[in-house]
């Protein structure tokens, strides 16, 4: 697999990364041994950018990843995030915090859980609009000066927020949802990132699994502890309507001898050419066979005709990507 610099001064990483949230959090029952095997297989295949966050399982995801990260520290780029504070008395209640004391406390806690001395990319996970973003990024810049963090990232920010942040300290990468089902970032955030020389890391590039083509009636097919049961696109009539949108994906997949998931990922990867900026999607999986399938998508190139066939899908998707869009870039733009 090829590599790309996340930005002009950013780390060189595999052109596809790995989202690690589901290895211990959010998507129902997990197999720890299979997840560990997935990490190893991903690295074997050229994946070097691994993404987690302190909120995934209230730190459990970072702790789970720590042995692998420590064993391969010189080969990988570690990305983690702060901003979603969990009340220990109410684990389902999350408060967004971007204040300086919380940031300093969070980075030290992540470093302890990960068992490393340095985080390669440190993201603001969500935006607390009560704190000026200049103040938040100023505090994050102090972490770079202190040697605790290498590069700064922002997640789910608007174009204006990105520009204001970048004026305080160079932002290496923006992370947001971006897929054939979710294209709102193309209106202003992606152009701003391209203009500033900032890379883009699409999370949920497979539409949280919908673009794999594996769902017929998603709501009834998910386990009770799968958080997607509460996502608008996976519920009720929306689920059935969205499942019917995948026929062009299947047609193109058949022509390439590929899976729908591979075509969906190839589309995201190809946005680097379309929008002229580094794009490193982080599909999540906990199965070695899936990471093999996902990374193979980096070798698929879609024709203009195929891109045109896929173009209308996003405009027909039923339901927002979250029940509450206020903490997304689209919700504030």
């Amino acid at each position: 697999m090829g590599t790309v610099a996340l930005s002009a001064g950013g780390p060189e990483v595999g052109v596809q990364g790995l989202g690690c949230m589901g290895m211990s959090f959010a998507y129902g029952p997990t197999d720890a041994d299979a997840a560990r095997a997935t990490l190893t297989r991903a690295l074997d295949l050229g994946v070097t950018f691994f993404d987690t966050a302190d909120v995934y399982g209230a730190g459990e995801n970072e702790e789970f990843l720590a042995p692998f990260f420590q064993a391969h520290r010189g080969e990988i780029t570690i990305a983690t995030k702060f901003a979603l504070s969990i009340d220990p008395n109410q684990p389902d209640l999350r408060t967004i915090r971007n204040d300086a004391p919380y940031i300093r406390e969070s980075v030290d806690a992540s470093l302890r859980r990960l068992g490393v001395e340095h985080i390669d990319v440190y993201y603001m996970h969500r935006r607390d609009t009560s704190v000026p973003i200049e103040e938040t990024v100023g505090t994050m810049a102090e972490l770079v000066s202190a040697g605790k963090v290498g590069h700064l990232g922002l997640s789910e920010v608007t174009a204006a927020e990105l520009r204001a942040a970048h004026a305080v300290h160079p932002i290496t990468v923006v992370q947001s949802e971006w897929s054939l089902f979710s294209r709102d970032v193309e209106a202003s955030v992606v152009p701003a990132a391209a203009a500033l020389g900032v890379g883009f890391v699409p999370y949920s590039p497979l539409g949280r699994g919908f673009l794999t083509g594996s769902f017929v009636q998603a709501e009834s097919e998910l386990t009770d502890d799968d958080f997607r049961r509460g996502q608008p696109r996976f519920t009720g009539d929306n689920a059935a309507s969205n499942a019917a949108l995948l026929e062009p994906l299947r047609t193109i997949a058949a022509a390439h001898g590929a899976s729908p998931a591979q075509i969906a990922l190839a589309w995201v990867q190809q946005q680097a050419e379309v929008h002229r900026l580094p794009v490193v999607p982080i599909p999540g999986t906990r199965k070695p066979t899936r990471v093999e399938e996902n990374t193979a998508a980096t070798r698929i190139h879609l024709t203009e005709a195929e891109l045109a066939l896929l173009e209308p899908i996003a405009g027909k998707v039923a339901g927002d990507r979250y029940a509450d869009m206020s903490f997304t870039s689209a919700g504030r733009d």
Side-chain angles (χ1 to χ4, degrees), residues 66-85:
F68 174 79
F69 285 175
Q70 292 163 27
H72 300 281
R73 188 65 189 97
E75 305 168 73
I76 64 174
T77 297
I78 299 172
T80 192
K81 316 177 193 73
F82 75 89
L84 293 171
S85 176

Side-chain angles (χ1 to χ4, degrees), residues 108-127:
D108 287 341
S110 285
L111 287 166
R112 284 195 302 271
R113 286 189 292 265
L114 293 167
V116 297
E117 297 181 353
H118 176 85
I119 293 166
D120 299 308
V121 179
Y122 198 47
Y123 286 100
M124 180 190 78
H125 203 165
R126 292 292 184 269
R127 171 91 166 93

Side-chain angles (χ1 to χ4, degrees), residues 3 21 35 69 73 77 81 90 130 161 163 174 177 199 209 226 232 249 256 262 268 280 284 306 332:
T3 63
M21 179 180 77
F69 285 175
R73 188 65 189 97
T77 297
K81 316 177 193 73
Q90 301 180 71
S130 70
E161 290 164 348
R163 292 189 189 99
V174 169
E177 187 167 352
D226 193 311
L249 204 61
H256 283 267
Q262 288 174 317
V268 176
V280 180
E306 289 168 339
R332 295 191 307 280

